Amino acid sequence: MGLDEPWILQFVHYFGQVTSGDLGRSIISNRPVLDELSEALGPTVELVLSALSLAVPLGITLGVIAAIYRGGMLDRAIMALAVAGISLPVFWVAYMLILILGVQWNLLPFTGRLGPIWTLEGLQGLALPALTAAFTLVGPIARISRTAVLETLYAEHVRLARAKGVPEHKVVVKHGLRNALLPIVTLVGLQIGHLLGGTVIIETIYAWPGVGRLVVGAIMNSDYATAQGGLLLMACIFVAVNLIVDLLYSTLDPRLS
Amino acid sequence: MTPTGTGQSISPRSAKRRRRAKGGVATAMAVAILAVIVGVALLAPVLAPYDPYEVDLSAALQPPGSAHLLGTDMQGRDLLSRIMYGTRLTLLTSLTALVSGSVVGALLGLAAVFFPSSDAVIGRLLDILLSFPAILFGLALGASLGPGLLPVTIALSIATVPEVGRIARAAGLTIARQEYMQSGRAIGLGKTTLFFKYLAWNCMPTIFVFLTLRFGFIILLGAGLNFLGLGAAPPAAELGVLAAEGRNVLAFAPHVATYPSLTIFLLVLSLNVLGDVLRDKLDKRLL
């Protein structure tokens, strides 16, 4: 392994290996780390994407409703829920969902991935982990959507739209929300990073065979090659997501390109 | 602040008063909850009814009752006492991390303002730190140093540095434009005085409010790392560890996981409410 070399040489060595697709072998399973990671990547992406598809529409809707009824009961209720949602530990959300939906009502399984996403079993197995992950996202998205929409709703062009008789729902969606998308997209991009962190805990609780669980297991077993590879992969995903968000800016706001 | 300009809305006075009243109640409750939790954590050795490490297998997994107010865990240890000591440990690690991380972050951010030639280097350094999710540092340190409270504290500290640095830099840029900075320079004050007494001192409110908001996040992150087993080793009482211990008995003794989690929730919630109120009072544009 070259552990007797100076660390800078070790790093150059490791870097050379990584660029040629060799992440070493797991000392637990004696399989190439790359194989283990590519198997784990699918379930994690599945989890992240389904959580996003639940949380983004819900969060934006709640934020827009709160902005429309600014200062009213609905606004305060939604914002109180959002703060509470932000303050909940992820593992407790998972526990509550398991207890209520899994154990008490016996509606959904919580024993890991039961199959590919296009099968019924797969969807059922995905439901609770995805709900847990989505739950942690709704609060921040609702808060930023409310702030962003509020800022645009009092802009001159929205006043003009109202004055010329555009229906209120069109004012809110086309003139308010459309112009508020930039900060929302930025936040969602950042939240994907936090979500990757959150999935580590969620995957561990639900025995979901993703990257996060692989990394935690590897750390516990001092399986350095796997832990290193997994962390490298997560960092790469995060950087890639940020890049995509940056590229989206010019599509969302043509003035920026 | 008085609403000015055309873009501002002018809300009815009654609504404003109601908001202020509601903010007052929420703030008071948040402060009260915080005071109780911190007080109990400080006085844990005095207040705890039992030894948090005393095993009594005959009293295992008792539900909350008169002998054990919050029940007992799998090894019959009193949950209330464990939570009291756990809160102590949780607060200690996250506060240590917050303070150390914010001192480094604030110094970096302000140095970037004060010494413009260093802005590029410090700015990039903060960007690099910002570009990784905080939990990755925890996992990476856990991987290289092995599980323990020290790696978790270091990870939480590193997670604090870039965000505080960014806020300090933004706050410093507005302060640096103020006339008193120029006046101070003109009357020949030393760089140390200018930096600490003029620049840093005036950035303190902004940084402090941001730290209130950040503290909750740091506590959640630390609890998460401890929950995963990367922090305190099992016999130790730490809120995340306690919540993890309740996992295997969740179905028939949910109190073991619930009360530690509830403590974390109340702590973080009151910090977030307090931070929001303080931020509204200060300046919304910076944070």
Side-chain angles (χ1 to χ4, degrees), chain A residues 3 58 63 70 74 136 145 153 182 195 232 235 237-238 240 243:
Chain A
L3 288 176
L58 183 63
R70 176 195 189 185
L74 209 52
T136 61
S145 307
L153 275 188
L182 219 53
L195 187 58
L232 192 67
I237 297 176
F238 189 64
L243 183 67

Side-chain angles (χ1 to χ4, degrees), chain A residues 48-121:
Chain A
V48 169
L49 287 185
S50 45
L52 280 176
S53 59
L54 287 172
V56 171
L58 183 63
I60 292 183
T61 312
L62 286 176
V64 171
I65 291 175
I68 295 173
Y69 297 102
R70 176 195 189 185
M73 284 297 283
L74 209 52
D75 177 23
R76 276 190 269 160
I78 290 175
M79 283 307 109
L81 278 180
V83 179
I86 291 171
S87 312
L88 278 170
V90 189
F91 46 82
W92 199 27
V93 177
Y95 282 171
M96 300 305 261
L97 287 174
I98 290 179
L99 261 185
I100 297 170
L101 295 178
V103 178
Q104 232 156 39
W105 294 351
N106 206 8
L107 276 178
L108 292 165
F110 47 91
T111 45
R113 196 161 177 267
L114 302 175
I117 190 169
W118 51 87
T119 59
L120 182 64
E121 291 80 31

Side-chain angles (χ1 to χ4, degrees), chain A residues 56 60 141 144-145 148-149 177 180-189:
Chain A
V56 171
I60 292 183
I141 296 179
I144 198 85
S145 307
V149 170
L177 184 59
L181 275 182
L182 219 53
I184 299 176
V185 168
T186 311
L187 180 97
V188 171

Side-chain angles (χ1 to χ4, degrees), chain B residues 209 212-213 270-280:
Chain B
V209 170
T212 318
L213 283 166
S270 40
L271 280 168
N272 280 341
V273 169
L274 202 62
D276 277 350
V277 173
L278 287 176
R279 179 183 51 186
D280 287 350

Side-chain angles (χ1 to χ4, degrees), chain A residues 13-30:
Chain A
H13 194 59
Y14 180 73
F15 190 76
Q17 282 186 332
V18 169
T19 43
S20 58
D22 177 15
L23 289 171
R25 267 174 187 277
S26 159
I27 57 162
I28 300 298
S29 63
N30 197 25

